[in-house]
């Protein structure tokens, strides 16, 4: 049968729209091994995509067959994702740093037809996938062809799966989030309506390709006719390299998790003044500690800082400008209102919609850009894709996010924390985030994380703080401050000074690892040692 064709609302179609209007505009600007910048025009990116698609088509895969794409973000990997989209082959992105065991778990779950890796990567001897190939600027080279399928499909539909992203597990055990073309295309059109980026932008992506924040950067840049500027991992290794690269690539918008900015703010904040063309910074993935955010704003005067809130299950839910300057005494950042075409509703513990300003509830997201479900996990899917609490009779499903927020006077929301950061201590309900925000009001503290650590048959509140320079926190003074500000049951039992909070592969605070380390004091000193290195 002939090659399956993308019909309406396909990721390839949306991202390659600029080919018709501005084919010579740079789609991707990236550094080679020697750090020299190279441009790939929209026309060239499309040609590479067509070339990969022809090679993939030659394998005789059917719509819906999964392809693992192992790479960093580059013109070639973007073309590979687009070629998969065009043929209706859901892509599953994996970073080169992914350990074999994690990759094997993903492979066992999604049973891919093909593992396509970037040219520069060695084959994974220990991971078994039916087909294997590598790709780069010279094309796709098939090493082991998968068995040919019977093709049952002619058209790639908007409801077909575009990709499956496995979450890092900061929100529970890793889940395979299945996104359709319709959802991702609808989401990216909303970004255009909200004017997050425009054709003149050069958008730097800093997240690993397995994190949907990287897909967000690719999607926002190309669907806006802008230029994507992937930042290589080695260029993130030191503040000087990172800022040097962003400056030389004349980046106007940077995407990254809050921890992206921590080293430069700590060691060399003046470097930030070199980012002359920078207009906006979009952060997402977790809360930005307020002292660090203030510092970033001071060092980047006039730069718009945008708080992107959301989960992989809808790519993102809202984008809110951080007020500049941040009001004194601010405890919680606003996550504002949902992006164009979506809505966030707060629901209280009894299932009623929160309408009183000042009250807290769980965020339910109503959006045409929701995920289809968790891969092969109908139970987990049903637990979060639930009937609309406003009126379940419509049969419409909304996404129960697991995040708590407070309703503002104008209907805007302030992020409070995940519902699983709400713990019970001797019968009292405690928000770990509230203790963390109290700790960040102490002088010299730039970031804090609080966890419940098992100790002698009980669980005790244990805090970790990061300071603005060398030295340890004055624990006695810090505990006295907490005792003044918080009820006694919310005062941490102990406070540890760390050089850095442990991070997940996606750059978020790794609370599970932190709890493990704080549970054993010897390992806490290991951690300090390791993160000082
Ligand atoms: P994982 O972290 O497991 O890979 P996700 O990236 O989907 O999974 O994590 C989504 C969660 O991250 C949200 O539900 C929320 O708790 C948190 N989050 C994302 N953006 C923000 C933000 N701007 N402020 C606070 N929390 C955020």
């Amino acid at each position: 049968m002939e090659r399956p064709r993308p019909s309406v609302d396909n990721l390839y179609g949306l991202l390659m729209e600029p080919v018709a209007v501005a084919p010579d505009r740079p789609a991707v600007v990236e550094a080679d091994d020697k750090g020299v910048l190279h441009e790939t025009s929209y026309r060239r990116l499309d040609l590479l995509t067509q070339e990969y698609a022809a090679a993939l088509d030659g394998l005789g895969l059917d719509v819906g067959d999964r392809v693992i794409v192992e790479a960093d973000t580059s013109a070639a990997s973007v073309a590979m994702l687009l070629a998969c989209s065009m043929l209706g082959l859901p892509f599953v992105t994996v970073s080169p740093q992914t350990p074999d065991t994690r990759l094997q778990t993903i492979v066992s779950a999604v049973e891919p037809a093909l593992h396509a890796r970037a040219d520069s990567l060695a084959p994974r001897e220990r991971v078994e996938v039916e087909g294997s190939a590598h790709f780069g600027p010279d094309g796709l080279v098939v090493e082991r062809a998968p068995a040919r399928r019977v093709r049952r499909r002619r058209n790639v539909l908007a409801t077909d799966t575009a990709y499956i992203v496995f979450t890092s597990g900061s929100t529970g055990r890793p889940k395979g989030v299945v996104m359709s073309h319709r959802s991702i295309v609808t989401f990216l059109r909303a970004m255009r309506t909200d004017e997050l980026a425009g054709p003149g932008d050069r958008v730097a992506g800093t997240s690993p390709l397995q994190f949907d924040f990287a897909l967000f950067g690719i999607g926002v840049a190309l669907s806006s006719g802008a230029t994507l500027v992937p930042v290589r991992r080695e260029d993130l290794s030191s503040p000087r390299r990172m800022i040097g690269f962003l400056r030389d690539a004349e980046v106007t918008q940077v995407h990254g998790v809050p921890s992206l900015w921590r080293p430069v703010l700590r060691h060399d904040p003046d470097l930030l003044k070199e980012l002359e063309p920078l207009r906006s910074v979009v952060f997402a993935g977790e809360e930005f500690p307020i002292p660090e955010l203030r510092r970033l704003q001071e060092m980047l005067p006039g730069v718009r800082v945008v708080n992107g809130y959301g989960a992989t299950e809808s790519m993102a839910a809202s984008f809110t400008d951080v007020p500049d300057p941040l009001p004194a005494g601010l405890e919680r950042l606003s996550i504002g209102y949902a992006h164009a075409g979506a809505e966030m509703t707060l629901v209280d513990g009894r299932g009623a919609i929160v309408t009183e300003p000042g009250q807290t509830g769980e965020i339910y997201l109503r959006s045409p850009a929701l995920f289809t479900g968790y891969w092969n996990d109908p139970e987990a899917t049903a637990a979060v894709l639930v009937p609309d609490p406003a009126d379940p009779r419509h049969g419409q499903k909304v996404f129960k996010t697991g995040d708590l927020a407070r309703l503002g006077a104008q209907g805007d929301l302030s992020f409070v924390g995940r519902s699983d950061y709400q713990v019970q201590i001797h019968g009292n309900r405690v928000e770990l985030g509230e203790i963390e925000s109290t700790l960040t009001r102490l002088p010299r503290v730039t970031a804090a994380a609080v966890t419940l650590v098992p100790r002698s048959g009980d669980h005790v509140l244990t805090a970790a703080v990061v300071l603005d320079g060398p030295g340890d926190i004055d624990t006695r003074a810090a505990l006295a401050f907490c005792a003044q500000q918080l009820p006694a049951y919310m005062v941490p039992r102990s406070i540890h000074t760390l050089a850095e909070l442990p991070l997940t592969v996606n750059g978020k605070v790794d609370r599970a690892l932190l709890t493990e380390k704080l549970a054993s004091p010897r390992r806490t000193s290991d951690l300090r040692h390791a993160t000082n290195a």
Side-chain angles (χ1 to χ4, degrees):
M1 198 197 267
E2 63 180 293
R3 179 205 268 210
R5 288 182 312 242
S7 53
V8 286
D9 282 352
N10 183 281
L11 186 59
Y12 163 77
L14 180 75
L15 299 198
M16 286 295 101
E17 272 176 13
V19 176
V21 287
D24 296 322
R25 191 184 294 157
V28 183
V29 167
E30 61 197 322
D32 65 16
D33 295 345
K34 298 188 188 65
V36 179
L37 293 177
H38 294 270
E39 282 187 8
T40 303
S41 66
Y42 273 92
R43 188 204 321 268
R44 169 77 195 125
L45 188 64
D46 191 33
L47 286 174
L48 192 58
T49 303
Q50 304 282 357
E51 197 180 321
Y52 289 160
L56 286 171
D57 181 52
L59 296 172
L61 301 177
D62 197 15
V63 173
D65 284 332
R66 281 79 56 206
V67 175
I68 301 250
V69 178
E70 180 183 353
D72 287 314
T73 308
S74 65
S77 61
V78 170
M80 180 53 66
L81 305 184
L82 293 176
C84 289
S85 297
M86 189 193 268
L87 298 176
L89 305 173
F91 58 80
V92 185
T93 49
V94 168
S95 298
Q97 286 65 46
T98 304
D100 280 352
T101 46
R102 161 113 168 145
L103 179 54
Q104 187 59 58
T105 311
I106 293 174
V107 165
S108 305
V110 303
E111 300 176 324
L114 186 72
H115 175 193
R117 62 177 198 281
D119 272 347
S120 56
L121 304 174
R124 300 254 195 172
E125 308 292 354
R126 285 200 289 271
V127 180
E128 276 181 41
V129 183
E130 200 187 330
S132 119
H134 59 89
F135 64 91
D138 299 328
L140 177 86
V141 177
V142 178
E143 296 161 322
R144 192 172 56 248
R148 295 190 80 82
R149 280 28 181 189
V150 176
R151 277 197 172 148
R152 295 160 299 180
R153 297 280 304 272
R154 289 166 49 84
N155 288 321
V156 182
L157 308 185
T159 45
D160 281 322
T161 299
Y163 63 79
I164 305 170
V165 161
F166 279 79
T167 59
S168 74
S170 83
T171 53
R173 75 184 162 83
K175 297 159 285 215
V177 177
V178 177
M179 268 312 245
S180 67
H181 284 276
R182 178 172 63 189
S183 288
I184 185 62
V185 165
T186 307
F187 173 80
L188 292 171
R189 289 218 177 95
M191 293 302 98
R192 286 209 294 223
T193 306
D194 279 349
E195 298 182 341
L196 195 66
D201 272 310
R202 287 179 162 235
V203 179
T206 60
S207 291
L209 195 58
Q210 71 197 4
F211 185 9
D212 76 330
F213 202 0
L215 302 181
F216 168 81
I218 296 168
V220 164
L222 303 188
S223 66
S224 317
T227 302
L228 174 73
V229 186
V231 187
R232 295 179 311 163
R233 250 169 312 112
E234 51 265 53
D235 287 328
L236 295 174
S237 63
S238 83
R240 190 163 294 279
R241 284 187 78 148
M242 175 171 112
I243 301 298
F245 174 77
L246 297 175
R247 179 198 58 215
D248 295 349
E250 297 175 16
V251 162
T252 63
Q253 183 172 91
V254 179
H255 295 177
V257 287
S259 65
L260 174 73
W261 301 100
R262 199 163 290 149
V264 65
L265 288 174
R266 225 172 130 83
H267 301 297
D268 227 340
D270 282 336
L271 284 175
L272 290 164
K273 295 192 181 132
E274 296 179 17
L275 299 180
E276 208 273 315
L278 185 67
R279 296 286 163 266
S280 51
V281 164
V282 180
F283 73 86
E286 66 181 357
E287 282 178 277
F288 210 127
I290 289 176
E292 289 182 342
L293 195 50
R294 276 190 211 286
R295 192 84 182 102
L296 187 69
Q297 285 185 322
E298 272 164 32
M299 300 315 294
L300 294 174
V303 171
R304 178 180 172 208
V305 179
V306 181
N307 181 2
Y309 157 77
T312 314
E313 286 85 341
S314 65
M315 185 154 262
S318 73
F319 295 87
T320 313
D321 280 35
V322 173
D324 189 6
L326 279 163
L330 183 80
E331 287 176 22
R332 289 278 175 235
L333 287 178
S334 172
I335 52 168
Y337 306 90
H339 63 69
E343 266 181 336
M344 299 191 283
T345 304
L346 291 188
V347 176
D348 69 17
R350 297 186 317 278
I353 290 177
V354 172
T355 49
E356 272 303 298
Q359 283 194 344
T360 297
E362 181 174 352
I363 304 170
Y364 282 53
L365 181 69
R366 186 181 291 114
S367 165
L370 295 183
F371 72 127
T372 314
Y374 296 120
W375 174 260
N376 200 22
D377 199 342
E379 262 177 51
T381 305
V384 298
L385 278 183
V386 298
D388 188 341
D391 190 346
R393 292 173 300 181
H394 293 286
Q396 181 73 46
K397 296 284 168 63
V398 298
F399 172 44
K400 184 177 184 306
T401 62
D403 290 323
L404 302 175
R406 192 165 299 144
L407 189 64
Q410 311 302 323
D412 53 316
L413 304 184
S414 299
F415 187 78
V416 169
R418 292 199 50 79
S419 54
D420 48 9
Y421 297 167
Q422 193 177 64
V423 297
Q424 292 286 332
I425 297 179
H426 304 140
N428 299 296
R429 199 173 78 181
V430 170
E431 294 291 350
L432 297 177
E434 200 176 329
I435 311 174
E436 290 168 2
S437 83
T438 304
L439 288 166
T440 53
R441 296 212 303 279
L442 282 161
R444 298 206 53 213
V445 173
T446 54
V450 176
T451 73
L452 264 190
V453 171
R455 190 151 302 157
S456 354
D458 199 4
H459 281 84
V460 297
L461 279 174
T462 308
V465 293
V466 177
L467 303 184
D468 58 3
D472 273 354
I473 192 162
D474 177 345
T475 314
R476 208 137 44 118
L479 290 175
F481 178 74
C482 290
Q484 257 170 24
Q485 305 286 323
L486 300 165
Y489 58 85
M490 286 179 77
V491 176
R493 185 75 62 86
S494 55
I495 305 180
H496 301 259
T497 308
L498 302 183
E500 181 60 283
L501 297 173
L503 301 177
T504 66
V505 282
N506 289 351
K508 300 187 184 197
V509 175
D510 190 333
R511 284 163 194 275
L513 185 58
L514 182 70
T515 309
E516 211 179 287
K517 305 271 182 189
L518 292 177
S520 112
R522 200 180 59 76
R523 297 193 63 185
T524 312
S525 61
D526 286 354
L527 181 68
R528 182 183 314 180
H529 187 71
T531 48
N532 268 330

